[in-house]
Amino acid sequence: MKCGTVAVIGRPNAGKSSLINALLKTHAVIISPKPQTTRNLIRCIYNDSDSQIIFTDTPGIFNNSDKLGDFLNNSILDAIEDCDLVLWLVDAGTKNLDSQDFHMAELVKSKPVILVINKSDKFNPAQALGQYIKICAFRHKIAISAKLKRGLDELISILKNLLPEGQPIYDPDILMDTTERFMASEIIREKILMLLRDEIPHRVAVEIDEYKSPDEFPDRKKLYIRASLITETEGQKKIIIGAGGSMIKKIGESSRNSLEQITGLPVFLDLWVKVIPGWRKNNLALKRLGYA
């Protein structure tokens, strides 16, 4: 058996979460076209007959002075330090390197790195390849399309060749190393990212206040989830609620549909909006919300 951990790194919107979902053939981690979609390190487990590959989805490097930005960047460092391999995902349409790329090259110089050029269905990967090979020594280089699922079998084969031998760490039925409460909060946050514009989604956190499943409470017929949408100002709260409650109703309906598909249970979702001024700069608030 081959078994090991692969840290998936790259710029925001390079397609890291989409690639992991494609490799696992399921909607394991949330996606959106907005930066900062991924905030936590999320370990997703790929299994086949002769390997277990633990993919760690990471945030994109985030240029921000607040403590949430510090947490996101430190998470990348943790993922790189703990992994066996680094999968550096880049967009085939990249025209110029930026400071994030040079910083990333410095972070990974002590690890074996695979360059994976995504979105090769839209752009010629040669330009991106020519730029990145100048700043980092790569063990392998491959062009793929996560959207069209091109090159994924070859990528898995490359990873297997480089990973160490070992017994599986996780039971083969486990898809993600996380809790049901966390998955619920991420699904709700995904809908906020999809439905709200501009900077509002980046100023929102989701806290699960109650999670009562029929599996734990046999008297219940539905999965009950009460969640708080944490934002920074009363103005943001009004936008999230919407005129006559229209926006929070959309968030709730979309979230409930996805939660029912994932859990296989009917869901009663109770959403509230709370204001915590400056929560992204508040250590206590960040710790409470899981960003510490």
Side-chain angles (χ1 to χ4, degrees):
M1 290 288 291
K2 289 296 190 81
C3 181
T5 303
V6 177
V8 184
I9 67 169
R11 292 187 189 182
N13 287 341
K16 300 183 291 296
S17 299
S18 295
L19 172 60
I20 291 175
N21 286 339
L23 290 170
L24 271 61
K25 300 178 182 178
T26 189
H27 190 90
V29 285
I30 68 171
I31 56 174
S32 87
K34 297 183 175 70
Q36 206 194 115
T37 297
T38 301
R39 285 181 177 171
N40 300 77
L41 295 183
I42 302 174
R43 293 174 180 84
C44 301
I45 298 95
Y46 168 93
N47 289 283
D48 63 19
S49 61
D50 60 357
S51 70
Q52 182 173 93
I53 306 174
I54 301 148
F55 292 99
T56 304
D57 194 13
T58 67
I61 286 183
F62 192 64
N63 297 321
N64 197 345
S65 59
D66 64 35
K67 295 184 183 296
L68 177 59
D70 293 340
F71 169 79
L72 300 182
N73 292 333
N74 288 335
S75 295
I76 301 170
L77 293 174
D78 291 341
I80 293 171
E81 183 177 341
D82 293 341
C83 75
D84 296 298
L85 297 175
V86 173
L87 189 161
W88 188 345
L89 192 69
V90 305
D91 189 323
T94 302
K95 295 181 179 179
N96 296 294
L97 300 180
D98 62 17
S99 60
Q100 296 182 29
D101 298 308
F102 289 99
H103 182 47
M104 202 77 81
E106 187 67 23
L107 295 180
V108 303
K109 62 183 181 181
S110 65
K111 293 284 184 175
V113 186
I114 301 166
L115 178 66
V116 180
I117 304 175
N118 191 25
K119 305 181 185 179
S120 61
D121 55 304
K122 294 176 61 178
F123 305 101
N124 186 337
Q127 178 174 282
L129 174 64
Q131 296 181 84
Y132 282 95
I133 60 175
K134 296 177 182 177
I135 63 169
C136 185
F138 297 102
R139 290 286 185 92
H140 280 279
K141 301 170 282 289
I142 179 174
I144 68 158
S145 168
K147 181 179 180 180
L148 300 182
K149 298 179 174 57
R150 290 179 184 167
L152 301 190
D153 290 341
E154 184 182 352
L155 174 58
I156 290 292
S157 179
I158 290 170
L159 294 174
K160 287 183 183 182
N161 287 334
L162 292 174
L163 286 171
E165 293 184 354
Q167 292 302 308
I169 297 171
Y170 295 93
D171 185 283
D173 293 331
I174 294 177
L175 182 67
M176 298 175 67
D177 182 11
T178 187
T179 66
E180 293 178 343
R181 295 172 73 102
F182 175 78
M183 289 178 63
S185 71
E186 285 288 274
I187 290 295
I188 297 167
R189 197 165 64 82
E190 179 182 52
K191 306 313 175 187
I192 294 169
L193 285 160
M194 292 170 59
L195 292 168
L196 292 171
R197 299 193 305 262
D198 304 324
E199 289 299 311
I200 297 296
H202 303 311
R203 302 176 190 275
V204 179
V206 178
E207 184 176 28
I208 303 299
D209 302 307
E210 283 190 77
Y211 190 98
K212 293 183 177 180
S213 169
D215 296 333
E216 297 178 271
F217 300 88
D219 58 316
R220 305 195 68 89
K221 295 182 179 179
K222 291 186 176 183
L223 169 59
Y224 174 73
I225 302 172
R226 179 165 60 86
S228 295
L229 314 186
I230 310 296
T231 191
E232 294 181 312
T233 69
E234 290 293 335
Q236 293 164 12
K237 178 178 178 178
K238 290 179 181 179
I239 293 172
I240 295 168
I241 294 173
S246 57
M247 179 53 69
I248 198 165
K249 183 179 180 181
K250 288 181 182 178
I251 294 169
E253 288 177 347
S254 183
S255 299
R256 186 176 63 255
N257 290 337
S258 293
L259 287 165
E260 289 181 341
Q261 290 177 11
I262 290 171
T263 64
L265 295 168
V267 174
F268 183 91
L269 182 60
D270 190 12
L271 296 182
W272 297 78
V273 185
K274 297 180 181 178
V275 176
I276 301 179
W279 69 263
R280 295 179 301 162
K281 299 180 180 181
N282 184 311
N283 281 329
L284 289 176
L286 287 169
K287 185 174 182 179
R288 173 182 141 191
L289 295 168
Y291 302 123

